[in-house]
Amino acid sequence: MDFTDRTVIVTGSQRGIGRAIAEEFAALNANVVVCDLDQGAVEKTAAEIGPRAIGLSANVVSIEDIENLFARAVEKFGRVDILVNNAGIARDTLMVRMDEKDWDQVLDTNLKGAFLVTKTAARLMMKQRYGRIINISSVVGLTGNVGQANYSASKAGLIGLTKTAAKELASRGVTVNAVAPGFIDTDMTRALSEATREGLLSGIPLKRPGAPKEVASAVLFLASDQAAYITGQVIAIDGGLSM
Ligand code: NAI
């Protein structure tokens, strides 16, 4: 795979899975926009990734931020070919204890944020008659999970958004797919209790957490020319967890 002259925006890529995706794209010659909440952090990450990466801060819940993000990316690189909707948060607790704030924050960031960024990208990609959009859903969007009513609903919603966007944009040469990672070793999952981690691991046929790079591999494939005939699909990257 080679992404020379392709420009990719990865939301939430200051660290974790998003950062691994940004690094892998840069390694295959893409222009990379590292996007996250904090300007200092995105600049630092972009500098560490290499000369073809720039850092632009944006909150995916703010349409002004997103329009500004795309305008600056186009100003710098001329176009945006690939979007990875990776920014996400979790606020876990049992549904009966979950307050509205936890529900709204997670749905806003994970689902509304992806909608706003996708909509902005779609306008540009339709004009270009080329685009690749990859949404980072989750295995719990397929299966549900105790303590994650808000998170699993947002990730299931993202799958619906993926399929609708795939249908609406297909005639313009834009593909839209999702990946559904299982238990991946990042700051998000390191925050889980030892008991929860053990419980999760015991249900994984491959008996280990995944690495951020293993999610990146599937994302890069979906963004490549080799995946031109794949749209509206969800690929689980979960060591067999959702089987
Ligand atoms: P992380 O917490 O390490 O990284 C998420 C990044 O998103 C952070 O840098 C954060 O600052 C950024 N972010 C949060 N809200 C934002 C906003 N409003 N605007 C812009 N950026 C924002 O998490 P991780 O583990 O790297 O997860 C990345 C994605 O993968 C998330 O969407 C997560 O739900 C998903 N995922 C993670 C799994 C895991 O096991 N770690 C499993 C399945 C899905």
Side-chain angles (χ1 to χ4, degrees), residues 149-150 196:
N150 49 2
T196 310

PDB file of all heavy atoms in Angstrom, residues 149-150 196:
ATOM      1  N   ALA A 149     -24.171   1.354  28.477  1.00  0.00           N
ATOM      2  CA  ALA A 149     -25.381   1.682  27.701  1.00  0.00           C
ATOM      3  C   ALA A 149     -25.114   2.843  26.755  1.00  0.00           C
ATOM      4  O   ALA A 149     -25.458   2.795  25.560  1.00  0.00           O
ATOM      5  CB  ALA A 149     -26.532   2.033  28.649  1.00  0.00           C
ATOM      6  N   ASN A 150     -24.486   3.900  27.286  1.00  0.00           N
ATOM      7  CA  ASN A 150     -24.203   5.086  26.459  1.00  0.00           C
ATOM      8  C   ASN A 150     -23.184   4.772  25.362  1.00  0.00           C
ATOM      9  O   ASN A 150     -23.394   5.049  24.176  1.00  0.00           O
ATOM     10  CB  ASN A 150     -23.737   6.252  27.347  1.00  0.00           C
ATOM     11  CG  ASN A 150     -22.630   5.868  28.334  1.00  0.00           C
ATOM     12  OD1 ASN A 150     -22.158   4.727  28.359  1.00  0.00           O
ATOM     13  ND2 ASN A 150     -22.225   6.822  29.157  1.00  0.00           N
ATOM     14  N   THR A 196     -12.138  -6.232  35.738  1.00  0.00           N
ATOM     15  CA  THR A 196     -12.795  -6.062  34.435  1.00  0.00           C
ATOM     16  C   THR A 196     -11.869  -6.525  33.312  1.00  0.00           C
ATOM     17  O   THR A 196     -12.295  -7.212  32.371  1.00  0.00           O
ATOM     18  CB  THR A 196     -13.181  -4.581  34.219  1.00  0.00           C
ATOM     19  OG1 THR A 196     -13.878  -4.133  35.365  1.00  0.00           O
ATOM     20  CG2 THR A 196     -14.044  -4.383  32.999  1.00  0.00           C
TER      21      THR A 196
END
